[in-house]
Amino acid sequence: MGSERTAYLVVRRHDGLGNVYPLEPAHRHLIGRAKTSEIVLADDLCSRQHAEVYYREGGWRIRDCGSLNGTRVNGQLLTAEYALCPNDEVQIGRTRLVFVERLDQLEQTREMPVPVGEERLLIRRRLGRTRYELTDLPDLSEQDIAEPPTILANRQRISRDLSLLYRLALEMGMATNETELARVVLNGLLEATLADAAVLYELQEGRASVLAHQERTLGGVCPRMPDFVLQEVLKTREAIFAEHPRRLQLTDRDNPRLPQSRSGSGPISALVCAPVVIHDRVELVILVCVLDPLKSLTSEDLDVTVALGKQLAVAWQAVRRQQELAQENKRLRDQVLQEVRLVGESPGIQEVKQKIQLAARSDATVLIRGETGVGKELVARAIHLCSSRAGKPFVCLNCAALAESLLESELFGHEKGAFTGATERKIGKFESAHQGTIFLDEIGEMTPSAQAKLLRILEGHPFERVGGSQPIRVNVRVVAATNRSLEEAIQAGRFRLDLYYRLQVIEIMVPPLRERREDIPLLADFFLRQFAQQMGRRLRGFTPAALKKLQEHNWPGNVRELRNVIERAVVLSHHHTLDADDIWLAPVRPEAVPAEAPQPVYEPITLEELEKRHILATLEHTRWNKSQAARILGIERSTLDRKIHAYGLQKDGGKESAGDG
């Protein structure tokens, strides 16, 4: 029972030959779907123990093991033991196996001829779906100890390849760009196979260009893929395994005279080429080749290459999407930075810019002061974007825009059922701004209870949601703003002195626009270009008369008013250059209002007379709408009627308002 009697069963596919299963005379080879079989077939028409091949009386024989669908040899259904001859075809389910005693007995009629002028490589096998996609793979078990070395080696190769594919999938997931991804794949292919080189090609308009290549011992020389191989892969979208037809007969390194590749890098003995399909289109091609005629690639190498190609397709899309998101994020950040630009060259605005840079270096609390419309929120965003928290949330809250009962809920959140209407838990602004910045506009309007909670947060203490008891800690930088005098609010008892000191660590005063008139032309030109681009208008600028009109205005609404004026002019103007007629300015003149209202003159009257006069004044203010007057006076409607009757108050002319009811 010498090794010279070893035979082979070779899988025959519609496009060539597949796996090779050695047959040892000392063993009986069970063929079936069960993982304990020596030849495992992933075929749903194959029984778990389908057939058996064995050596007896000087020849190889096969018999059916009572399978459901039967075993056929050369098309004939087996009913008894059959003596196999070279090139007999055994059909088990959908699988066809060719029996040979030597591999050189295989008929090569299915090998594809190579066009004239191309390298004399013959396609041995094609593959569209790798065996690693199947769910019924043979695995290692305790019985493998008694199995033939060739079967054990095959299963060990599968186990090794699966481990490699898993590790490479993790490394692909950590790659951040195409270069890193290509390096992982090519190094993995050189580790999984005996290949001398691995190349990744990118397809553009039907042409393949080298994207990356890795060599084992070639000194940086990249082999060239034969043209007919590329065309076959693109046409069929299947991976191919090709080799030189005389490779198996070569025994001396100096004897073979294999054709040189056109790049002059050396002879190609065998190669595996696999397409990488992304979005139903072949965008990449993997080439693995050996140049040493005494080495070759195998069907297992083809399987591994196809499996890596499929993993690469998924990872490539993920990396590309990540880069697209990074570019979009950069574009949006540039847009935001453009929108938060502090335009101006005046000394006042230069001082603000300098303080922004200094404040951004730390996490200290910042208090921004200035009139309405000067751009306090713009300054707060600039501080956030210049700080180390730039990539984290920036949350804004106008403390004057919410009712007292809702302010604490917005700031700190609430639990379900904390108050009427709280149907679910809500995360507050402070939690939303964790590790980022929260901007509290109109801080002087904050309620006393909210001020107490804010002070505790600024001092590093946790807080609870409204209606909750779970302490919550956040890492938030607070930037506050106000257009009112906090000092007056402290004297009136509306603002806590300790909170005032805690907020005013860094103070930035933003000057009003009337105090930096030299910035008006720059701001006007900036807004003009911004709105003209948004609306698709081609505007060349301002006439001298328009600029003079802009600079002479007192700008009570500051930069916000200037922005609205320019936007209105861009929308309504019919000229290519904005003139003075296009600049419409609001007639409001707050500077003409007296700074102090006249004090009332004392008049010695009784409380009864004072009440009578006040009720009459309130009725005249509401045009004798008694319901509205009662609400203003804070009394019941019936009480108001009694006082009107008691004081003898009457409405001069006309009927009472319909609201009297």
Side-chain angles (χ1 to χ4, degrees):
M1 302 297 180
S3 60
E4 67 276 2
R5 295 178 180 176
T6 300
Y8 304 90
L9 283 176
V10 183
V11 176
R12 170 170 286 171
R13 302 178 184 271
H14 68 282
D15 52 7
L17 301 176
N19 292 342
V20 177
Y21 299 101
L23 303 175
E24 297 292 337
H27 297 277
R28 301 176 73 89
H29 299 269
L30 184 63
I31 305 174
R33 190 164 43 85
K35 296 181 180 180
T36 56
S37 302
E38 291 184 297
I39 299 178
V40 179
L41 301 180
D43 190 329
D44 56 353
L45 297 182
C46 176
S47 300
R48 295 183 60 81
Q49 296 181 352
H50 198 104
E52 187 180 31
V53 178
Y54 48 91
Y55 187 84
R56 186 166 67 83
E57 296 179 358
W60 286 94
R61 304 172 184 274
I62 185 172
R63 71 175 184 88
D64 186 78
C65 296
S67 64
L68 181 62
N69 296 309
T71 303
R72 288 176 171 80
V73 177
N74 299 328
Q76 299 296 320
L77 186 65
L78 289 185
T79 57
E81 182 183 79
Y82 180 86
L84 292 168
C85 298
N87 284 309
D88 277 345
E89 183 178 271
V90 179
Q91 184 174 355
I92 296 177
R94 297 187 179 92
T95 306
R96 293 179 298 163
L97 301 165
V98 180
F99 172 80
V100 290
E101 294 177 344
R102 301 186 313 276
L103 290 178
D104 58 5
Q105 293 176 337
L106 286 170
E107 297 177 353
Q108 302 295 346
T109 57
R110 295 182 180 270
E111 293 177 348
M112 180 176 179
V114 181
V116 177
E118 293 284 2
E119 294 86 344
R120 295 190 65 251
L121 296 173
L122 298 180
I123 297 177
R124 301 295 192 188
R125 184 187 175 199
R126 302 175 188 268
L127 184 63
R129 185 184 182 192
T130 173
R131 63 180 176 178
Y132 298 105
E133 298 177 68
L134 303 176
T135 57
D136 191 15
L137 285 174
D139 58 351
L140 293 173
S141 63
E142 296 179 357
Q143 298 180 0
D144 291 327
I145 300 176
E147 291 185 345
T150 53
I151 302 299
L152 181 59
N154 183 44
R155 297 192 177 190
Q156 289 175 338
R157 170 67 189 265
I158 293 175
S159 178
R160 188 200 72 179
D161 289 346
L162 286 174
S163 299
L164 177 65
L165 291 172
Y166 174 74
R167 177 169 59 82
L168 293 178
L170 296 179
E171 294 181 8
M172 289 184 195
M174 292 186 291
T176 58
N177 53 59
E178 290 93 340
T179 302
E180 293 181 10
L181 196 55
R183 178 181 54 79
V184 170
V185 172
L186 298 182
N187 287 338
L189 288 169
L190 293 182
E191 180 180 349
T193 69
L194 296 177
D196 294 318
V199 189
L200 182 64
Y201 292 89
E202 183 179 19
L203 295 180
Q204 294 179 346
E205 299 179 355
R207 295 187 176 183
S209 58
V210 177
L211 190 63
H213 62 94
Q214 194 74 24
E215 304 82 24
R216 198 183 301 274
T217 56
L218 298 183
V221 179
C222 178
R224 177 188 174 276
M225 176 168 49
D227 292 337
F228 88 95
V229 172
L230 176 62
Q231 296 305 320
E232 282 298 313
V233 169
L234 295 180
K235 181 174 66 176
T236 63
R237 291 194 175 189
E238 291 183 331
I240 62 174
F241 168 36
E243 62 181 353
H244 193 275
R246 293 168 47 216
R247 187 196 62 78
L248 295 176
Q249 303 173 9
L250 300 174
T251 56
D252 189 347
R253 291 180 182 267
D254 299 327
N255 285 336
R257 295 188 177 274
L258 301 180
Q260 300 285 326
S261 66
R262 291 184 180 179
S263 64
S265 60
I268 297 179
S269 175
L271 63 82
V272 167
C273 186
V276 180
V277 181
I278 302 175
H279 296 309
D280 200 32
R281 187 164 60 93
V282 179
E283 296 190 11
L284 304 170
V285 174
I286 298 174
L287 175 67
V288 180
C289 61
V290 293
L291 309 182
D292 189 342
L294 298 182
K295 296 194 305 184
S296 181
L297 300 172
T298 63
S299 297
E300 288 77 10
D301 297 332
L302 180 62
D303 272 304
V304 170
T305 305
V306 173
L308 264 178
K310 293 182 180 295
Q311 290 183 183
L312 176 60
V314 177
W316 196 267
Q317 294 180 70
V319 167
R320 180 181 295 172
R321 179 59 177 163
Q322 182 180 358
Q323 291 181 336
E324 291 175 354
L325 290 175
Q327 294 175 358
E328 179 68 10
N329 186 39
K330 182 179 182 302
R331 186 187 68 80
L332 292 176
R333 285 177 61 86
D334 292 341
Q335 181 178 342
V336 170
L337 289 173
Q338 181 71 12
E339 293 177 356
V340 302
R341 279 182 55 193
L342 294 175
V343 179
E345 300 297 336
S346 63
I349 204 66
Q350 291 297 331
E351 182 180 355
V352 171
K353 292 180 180 179
Q354 183 180 6
K355 287 187 176 181
I356 288 174
Q357 295 295 332
L358 295 174
R361 299 175 184 175
S362 69
D363 285 338
T365 307
V366 180
L367 179 62
I368 305 172
R369 291 176 179 255
E371 298 178 4
T372 299
V374 295
K376 295 187 291 297
E377 182 177 343
L378 206 65
V379 173
R381 287 186 180 274
I383 293 173
H384 172 73
L385 292 175
C386 293
S387 70
S388 59
R389 299 174 181 261
K392 302 301 180 180
F394 179 80
V395 179
C396 299
L397 179 66
N398 190 326
C399 300
L402 296 172
E404 181 178 351
S405 58
L406 297 178
L407 182 58
E408 286 193 54
S409 173
E410 285 293 323
L411 279 173
F412 311 112
H414 63 253
E415 297 290 347
K416 180 179 180 181
F419 51 83
T420 303
T423 57
E424 59 183 11
R425 172 186 288 182
K426 179 179 179 179
I427 301 299
K429 298 295 185 182
F430 268 95
E431 285 185 78
S432 301
H434 181 55
Q435 295 185 344
T437 304
I438 185 169
F439 174 59
L440 301 177
D441 199 6
E442 304 297 344
I443 189 69
E445 305 298 329
M446 184 174 287
T447 62
S449 59
Q451 292 179 32
K453 278 193 174 183
L454 176 60
L455 181 61
R456 286 185 56 82
I457 295 175
L458 293 178
E459 292 176 348
H461 296 288
F463 65 92
E464 297 86 26
R465 300 189 188 98
V466 177
S469 58
Q470 182 69 27
I472 301 171
R473 291 185 180 272
V474 292
N475 178 11
V476 175
R477 181 182 194 170
V478 176
V479 178
T482 181
N483 63 349
R484 296 188 179 183
S485 173
L486 293 182
E487 292 78 7
E488 293 181 2
I490 293 171
Q491 292 178 0
R494 297 191 306 270
F495 201 82
R496 296 175 62 106
L497 181 62
D498 48 2
L499 179 59
Y500 170 78
Y501 289 134
R502 193 65 182 82
L503 288 174
Q504 204 179 24
V505 178
I506 300 176
E507 181 178 288
I508 299 178
M509 179 65 71
V510 184
L513 189 56
R514 61 181 175 273
E515 295 181 5
R516 51 186 185 106
R517 293 184 180 275
E518 60 268 41
D519 292 336
I520 292 177
L522 298 175
L523 285 165
D525 183 67
F526 173 78
F527 291 135
L528 174 65
R529 287 185 282 105
Q530 185 182 64
F531 291 123
Q533 182 180 6
Q534 292 178 4
M535 302 172 191
R537 297 288 307 276
R538 294 185 178 181
L539 297 172
R540 290 191 290 265
F542 299 89
T543 64
L547 288 176
K548 181 181 179 182
K549 187 174 182 179
L550 290 174
Q551 288 184 310
E552 289 178 350
H553 186 58
N554 207 34
W555 299 110
N558 291 294
V559 180
R560 182 185 294 121
E561 181 186 1
L562 175 61
R563 183 181 186 275
N564 295 337
V565 167
I566 302 302
E567 183 178 11
R568 183 189 304 110
V570 172
V571 173
L572 300 180
S573 175
H574 299 287
H575 310 99
H576 293 292
T577 303
L578 296 184
D579 201 355
D581 295 337
D582 299 316
I583 306 299
W584 184 87
L585 300 174
V588 179
R589 302 285 182 181
E591 64 274 9
V593 178
E596 295 183 0
Q599 297 294 327
V601 180
Y602 171 75
E603 186 179 357
I605 57 175
T606 64
L607 288 175
E608 182 179 0
E609 181 64 23
L610 181 63
E611 182 183 47
K612 176 182 176 181
R613 292 182 183 183
H614 183 62
I615 292 175
L616 180 60
T618 304
L619 288 169
E620 290 176 351
H621 173 74
T622 62
R623 298 181 181 181
W624 279 79
N625 185 322
K626 295 180 182 179
S627 299
Q628 185 178 356
R631 285 195 298 271
I632 294 175
L633 294 170
I635 60 177
E636 297 291 337
R637 166 66 183 275
S638 58
T639 304
L640 178 61
D641 286 333
R642 287 196 302 271
K643 289 182 179 294
I644 291 173
H645 179 73
Y647 291 136
L649 301 178
Q650 294 182 357
K651 180 180 179 183
D652 294 335
K655 295 182 180 180
E656 295 181 354
S657 172
D660 293 344

